């Protein structure tokens, strides 16, 4: 069980670093909103974070 928790934490940290490197401060804000919303079970906060990340990812295709 602890191995699964460690692997999960490593994946999350790696994904957060990738978003930070690729999308900068706005990516960090989106990940923060998404993770806080999921942990607090707040649909508004997690939806805002998901929308911010989706706009960042789809931004070059929309322009």
């Amino acid at each position: 069980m602890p191995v699964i928790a460690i692997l999960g934490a490593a994946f999350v940290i790696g994904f957060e670093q990738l978003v930070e490197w690729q999308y900068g401060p706005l990516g960090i804000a989106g990940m923060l909103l998404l993770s806080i919303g999921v942990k607090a079970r707040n649909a508004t906060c997690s939806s805002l974070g998901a929308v911010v990340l989706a706009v960042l990812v789809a931004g070059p295709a929309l322009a």
Side-chain angles (χ1 to χ4, degrees):
M1 193 68 156
V3 173
I4 294 172
I6 291 172
L7 288 175
F11 176 74
V12 168
I13 291 171
F15 185 72
E16 286 178 350
Q17 291 296 320
L18 175 70
V19 168
E20 178 182 339
W21 172 70
Q22 187 74 24
Y23 300 110
L26 201 52
I28 296 170
M31 279 298 296
L32 184 65
L33 281 170
L34 183 62
S35 63
I36 288 173
V38 168
K39 287 182 183 180
R41 294 188 178 154
N42 185 342
T44 304
C45 189
S46 59
S47 296
L48 270 171
V51 167
V52 167
L53 290 175
V55 168
L56 284 173
V57 170
L62 297 174

